[in-house]
Amino acid sequence: MADRNVESDTIGVPKLDETLEILLLQVIEEAQQRMEDGEDVVPFTALLVGDSVFEETHNGTTDECFASAQKTVEGAEGARAYAFCYDGYIETDDGDKDAIIAEGGIPGEKDGVAVGLLYDASGEEIAFKEEVCYIAEAPNFLASKEPVPAIIEDDEE
């Protein structure tokens, strides 16, 4: 799943919503673990609804995977954030670099964000970079949804 093109005119790294940032890092960590265990990373979405995360995989061509992910996210009720994670690459000045990529967004925001974890699979073991990097703005599949407030537990007295 490598022929997705995410571009942005934004310079610098935008401030990310904390909930979204945690979800993006969580799915990248999950994909990294799958790769380290010798498994394929099938594209998947993670939806945060309430305080539960629901995952769904998306098979097919790149276009089919993105269409399926978009349909899943847009059809979700009460989602506070989503992440769409896949194995891809990032075009750099030094050529294409393999990366686990996570795109995500929160309700009501015009744009989403794409972040990635670079890796090198040319050796016997996959060598992952230490830090997740910001890639660019990305489509936000929750842009048309109303923001969902965080769950606040009532203190019982």
Side-chain angles (χ1 to χ4, degrees):
M1 218 182 99
D3 51 353
R4 169 87 161 157
N5 188 18
V6 178
E7 294 182 3
S8 175
D9 294 332
T10 302
I11 297 175
V13 179
K15 174 106 172 90
L16 296 182
D17 173 85
E18 183 179 6
T19 300
L20 176 59
E21 181 178 3
I22 290 168
L23 186 61
L24 291 167
L25 294 174
Q26 180 180 335
V27 298
I28 285 177
E29 185 176 289
E30 183 176 331
Q32 179 181 357
Q33 186 62 55
R34 289 179 188 176
M35 291 179 84
E36 288 173 342
D37 292 343
E39 300 173 26
D40 289 333
V41 175
V42 177
F44 67 99
T45 48
L47 284 161
L48 178 62
V49 179
D51 53 357
S52 299
V53 176
F54 299 93
E55 290 187 5
E56 183 172 327
T57 58
H58 306 281
N59 293 302
T61 66
T62 299
D63 290 341
E64 290 169 341
C65 289
F66 278 90
S68 176
Q70 184 171 2
K71 182 178 179 183
T72 296
V73 172
E74 289 178 347
E77 292 299 322
R80 294 176 35 212
Y82 83 94
F84 176 48
C85 187
Y86 54 93
D87 184 13
Y89 66 87
I90 300 171
E91 293 177 3
T92 72
D93 293 340
D94 297 327
D96 295 344
K97 302 289 183 183
D98 290 325
I100 297 170
I101 299 172
E103 298 181 25
I106 58 174
E109 293 292 319
K110 179 181 171 252
D111 296 311
V113 63
V115 297
L117 178 63
L118 296 172
Y119 68 88
D120 181 358
S122 63
E124 288 184 28
E125 291 187 22
I126 299 172
F128 291 94
K129 293 288 186 184
E130 300 232 355
E131 297 289 323
V132 171
C133 62
Y134 171 77
I135 298 172
E137 290 178 345
N140 181 4
F141 300 155
L142 289 177
S144 65
K145 299 282 188 173
E146 291 294 319
V148 177
I151 296 175
I152 300 172
E153 304 223 357
D154 294 330
D155 293 328
E156 293 184 27
E157 295 181 34

